[in-house]
Amino acid sequence: MSFSGDNVKGFVLALLSSGFIGASFIIKKKGLRRAAASSGVRAGFGGYTYLLEPLWWVGMITMIVGEVANFVAYAFAPAVLVTPLGALSIIVSAVLAHFMLNEKLHQLGILGCIMCIAGSIIIVIHAPEEQPIYSVQQIWGMATQPAFLLYVGSVVVLVFILVLYFSPQCGHTNVLVYTGVCSLMGSLSVMSVKALGTSIKLTLEGKNQLIFPETWFFVLVVITCVVTQMNYLNKALDTFNTAIVSPIYYVLFTALTVFASVIMFKDWEDQDGGAIISEICAFIVVLSGTILLHSTKDFERSSSFRGSYTPLGSTLSARLCTTTGNGESSHDEQ
């Protein structure tokens, strides 16, 4: 297969991003534990002594480096390649937690890691070549094509419906409301980040794109989408258990981002049917592995309370059905 230099750069940056982000969670958690041990007050109970803990700041800086690498990756490679590779950060986090935090990785969790890696390899092998982009105005033309405008309009309408109608009524009982808003806005934020990253890349190459109003419009869209996305993600995490929010959010966000990229950048236009089917199947494998990995984390937690084996599927479904308004299911109460 032919693998362009830009795809290689995007792939390497996406891998580095996953490594840094996955490691940052572990470093920050060790910093939080160290701060709690020294002050006696955990962050979850209102403590802020972790802000004085150097290890926590190392974790924060590591995460920022990872996010910057992810931002730059979108300037080189298509979202169809970069976005699914984000699942590797979960693997890095799980493996490091196993060795450094004594959070044991279940056998099914190992299977989930293998599925994520296998699916990612297939995605990389069949990743499409991106069209060469020479100016932000070219990207603007892609963003204003009728098909993508229809997608944007649908996203805006759905977000308003979720925020104004469903959020007040069932936002605290249905996890899909807040994660839906995050995922829909997230797909637009990635498209804008890719446009902005490409503009900066062209500017650094000597083709100044900062003089065009389209560049600054994309900056505004990025800020708006990211602020909205983070606001509702925090609401989801505060309301529901992380073991539920994380896999659902990842699946919705990744699927919508890939769909938006296929429409806007026409990632699959020059690919044959076999390559597209292979990417879709690999994408499903990665999503399944991610859900399995998160579900086994929940399985380990619930089994410690029950002292007996509970089938994986029933554990996750039970948590989806019995989650209470304060974000903890009945068997998490102490």
Side-chain angles (χ1 to χ4, degrees):
M1 54 160 282
S2 61
F3 205 53
S4 71
D6 280 352
N7 268 17
V8 171
K9 293 175 184 176
F11 168 68
V12 172
L13 286 166
L15 285 183
L16 290 174
S17 171
S18 294
F20 278 111
I21 292 174
S24 72
F25 288 115
I26 306 305
I27 297 172
K28 286 199 295 183
K29 188 163 185 176
K30 286 182 73 69
L32 289 170
R33 286 183 175 181
R34 186 178 294 181
S38 62
S39 67
V41 182
R42 293 173 54 188
F45 293 92
Y48 292 97
T49 54
Y50 63 87
L51 295 174
L52 302 176
E53 173 56 54
L55 190 60
W56 185 86
W57 282 106
V58 170
M60 180 59 68
I61 293 171
T62 304
M63 174 169 282
I64 293 172
V65 172
E67 293 295 350
V68 171
N70 191 56
F71 176 87
V72 179
Y74 280 111
F76 289 99
V80 174
L81 170 62
V82 176
T83 304
L85 291 178
L88 298 180
S89 65
I90 301 173
I91 297 177
V92 172
S93 178
V95 172
L96 290 179
H98 178 83
F99 291 105
M100 299 177 65
L101 299 178
N102 201 32
E103 296 179 2
K104 298 304 179 183
L105 190 59
H106 191 267
Q107 289 181 349
L108 289 178
I110 296 175
L111 176 61
C113 292
I114 295 173
M115 291 172 65
C116 289
I117 294 172
S120 297
I121 291 173
I122 297 173
I123 289 173
V124 170
I125 291 174
H126 294 283
E129 300 294 338
E130 198 165 48
Q131 301 178 32
I133 298 175
Y134 304 103
S135 72
V136 69
Q137 293 172 315
Q138 182 182 350
I139 303 176
W140 181 258
M142 298 175 181
T144 54
Q145 59 184 305
F148 190 70
L149 288 177
L150 178 61
Y151 176 79
V152 173
S154 302
V155 167
V156 172
V157 170
L158 285 173
V159 166
F160 271 104
I161 292 175
L162 288 172
V163 171
L164 299 179
Y165 180 75
F166 287 102
S167 181
Q169 293 196 16
C170 56
H172 285 76
T173 57
N174 192 327
V175 69
L176 292 176
V177 176
Y178 293 150
T179 54
V181 174
C182 296
S183 303
L184 288 165
M185 296 301 289
S187 67
L188 296 184
S189 71
V190 169
M191 297 303 100
S192 302
V193 162
K194 184 168 180 58
L196 182 58
T198 304
S199 299
I200 295 174
K201 172 190 168 188
L202 291 171
T203 299
L204 294 175
E205 291 174 351
K207 304 171 186 176
N208 189 6
Q209 304 297 306
L210 302 181
I211 60 175
F212 299 111
E214 291 87 350
T215 299
W216 299 104
F217 176 81
F218 285 125
V219 171
L220 179 63
V221 173
V222 168
I223 294 173
T224 302
C225 290
V226 169
V227 169
T228 305
Q229 185 181 355
M230 291 299 99
N231 178 42
Y232 280 90
L233 181 58
N234 286 332
K235 286 187 176 184
L237 291 172
D238 186 56
T239 306
F240 302 97
N241 194 287
T242 305
I244 297 174
V245 174
S246 295
I248 292 176
Y249 171 60
Y250 178 78
V251 169
L252 291 177
F253 167 71
T254 306
L256 289 169
T257 298
V258 170
F259 183 62
S261 181
V262 167
I263 296 174
M264 180 173 172
F265 294 98
K266 299 185 178 358
D267 293 327
W268 288 343
E269 190 173 56
D270 298 325
Q271 287 196 291
D272 58 44
I276 294 174
I277 292 174
S278 296
E279 286 179 52
I280 293 174
C281 292
F283 176 60
I284 294 173
V285 170
V286 171
L287 296 183
S288 301
T290 303
I291 293 174
L292 183 60
L293 184 56
H294 274 286
S295 299
T296 53
K297 287 181 182 179
D298 189 40
F299 164 73
E300 290 292 337
R301 186 183 304 113
S302 62
S303 62
S304 65
F305 281 96
R306 294 174 182 171
S308 60
Y309 176 80
T310 302
L312 175 61
S314 63
T315 299
L316 183 58
S317 61
R319 293 185 68 84
L320 286 169
C321 295
T322 62
T323 304
T324 59
N326 64 356
E328 300 294 337
S329 57
S330 57
H331 66 67
D332 280 338
E333 295 176 359
Q334 298 184 2

